Amino acid sequence: MPASLSLRAAGTDVQLRASGPAGARWQVLCDTFAGPLAWNGTLPPAPGPAVTRWPRPDARSCEATLHAPQDRAGAPTLLARAALTLPAAPPVTPAATVTAAAPPSALPAAPAPLTGRLTVTPASVRLGLREPWAAQVTLRRADGTPAPDGTPVLLSADGPAGARLSATRVTVNGEASWQLTPDVPGRYRLQARAGRWQATAAAAAQPALLGRRPPVLWAGPDLEVGPLRWTTGAYPDDGTPVTLQALNRSGRVLWTAQVTTAQGVARARVPTLTGAVTLRLSVAGAEERLPWP
């Protein structure tokens, strides 16, 4: 049975539509500002597409994968993949209203100038260990009193290779706070804005993989990654994704697959590809490149 997968935002829900062999396993992984959020399921034996839906998460993007029930090599075979980019907030359809022009005396006054500070802790986080940056903004009016409750504050983080995180919060008692989890290593510039006020801070993200480069054993079509360990000495959680890509001489991706770890080891069967010269392997911000045999 041919496999297919689609992922879309349907109103206030996210909908997954999947079809394939009975027992095929699907996973949806959403990149939320507090860390990854995952849903898992298995296709029923009944023919036809299976439809699953759940409330839209506070996330910037989601990715769905469908894997075969089993593989002779013991590694899951990727049947289909789908991606979805979500807006910062679910769309709201306002009710139709009729308003009369307000007299000048009834118009709201311009917002008072604000002062404040942005703090980000810790200064450096380790990818793979679910360590977020805790960012906090404290805003005050000119007279020293807290900014009005509900003042919107936008926090953004710009990192290497176009990596970007952003989220908006509103103040309570003059304070707004975030938890941001990066997925690309490097230095980031965090910026907070509220009206004309703005502040910046610097932070960094580094791979938590012991040795910084994942060990790889590649014999024939069988590839083994690991055993992987964090700098804490622990294995990554079972199910930690490892991404494999085949590149040609110009750097174009010819093939990609994602496998997951069990007891710190991930296994895959690599196909024969004409034109491939490099295998790129990445896990939790750490990367290794091998010449294609």
Side-chain angles (χ1 to χ4, degrees):
M1 179 179 181
S4 65
L5 197 66
S6 66
L7 191 63
R8 69 187 187 94
T12 58
D13 295 337
V14 169
Q15 183 185 90
L16 173 75
R17 188 179 182 91
S19 63
R25 295 174 293 109
W26 58 263
Q27 181 184 68
V28 176
L29 190 66
C30 290
D31 182 15
T32 76
F33 302 113
L37 186 63
W39 290 267
N40 297 275
T42 303
L43 292 186
V51 179
T52 306
R53 64 174 66 227
W54 53 87
R56 180 188 300 194
D58 181 15
R60 57 178 179 170
S61 62
C62 296
E63 183 181 68
T65 54
L66 182 68
H67 289 88
Q70 60 184 4
D71 185 87
R72 293 181 181 177
T77 299
L78 182 66
L79 299 177
R81 184 190 302 271
L84 174 66
T85 300
L86 292 169
V92 177
T93 303
T97 57
V98 177
T99 58
S105 59
L107 295 176
L114 298 173
T115 61
R117 68 177 186 272
L118 165 66
T119 59
V120 180
T121 55
S124 180
V125 296
R126 295 170 295 179
L127 302 179
L129 295 182
R130 302 194 187 96
E131 294 180 343
W133 288 310
Q136 184 176 56
V137 163
T138 303
L139 291 177
R140 295 286 183 267
R141 288 180 282 203
D143 60 3
T145 59
D149 286 356
T151 299
V153 187
L154 172 66
L155 180 73
S156 60
D158 293 298
R164 181 175 175 83
L165 305 171
S166 65
T168 300
R169 299 288 186 270
V170 295
T171 57
V172 176
N173 250 353
E175 296 183 345
S177 60
W178 300 258
Q179 282 195 332
L180 299 179
T181 304
D183 53 15
V184 177
R187 295 197 60 80
Y188 286 74
R189 177 178 178 268
L190 286 81
Q191 182 179 64
R193 291 176 176 269
R196 295 183 179 179
W197 174 86
Q198 65 178 21
T200 60
Q206 58 183 345
L209 197 66
L210 188 64
R212 295 294 185 98
R213 298 172 65 180
V216 182
L217 178 62
W218 193 359
D222 297 317
L223 180 77
E224 181 176 290
V225 183
L228 304 173
R229 288 186 182 273
W230 300 134
T231 51
T232 60
Y235 288 133
D237 291 344
D238 287 356
T240 296
V242 178
T243 301
L244 308 174
Q245 292 181 316
L247 310 178
N248 65 8
R249 291 190 182 280
S250 63
R252 185 169 65 89
V253 176
L254 303 178
W255 167 81
T256 185
Q258 190 177 82
V259 294
T260 55
T261 61
Q263 292 295 307
V265 177
R267 296 179 175 88
R269 174 155 289 187
V270 181
T272 301
L273 292 173
T274 302
V277 297
T278 303
L279 174 70
R280 181 169 62 192
L281 181 150
S282 58
V283 52
E287 184 176 293
E288 178 66 296
R289 294 185 180 225
L290 302 173
W292 201 271

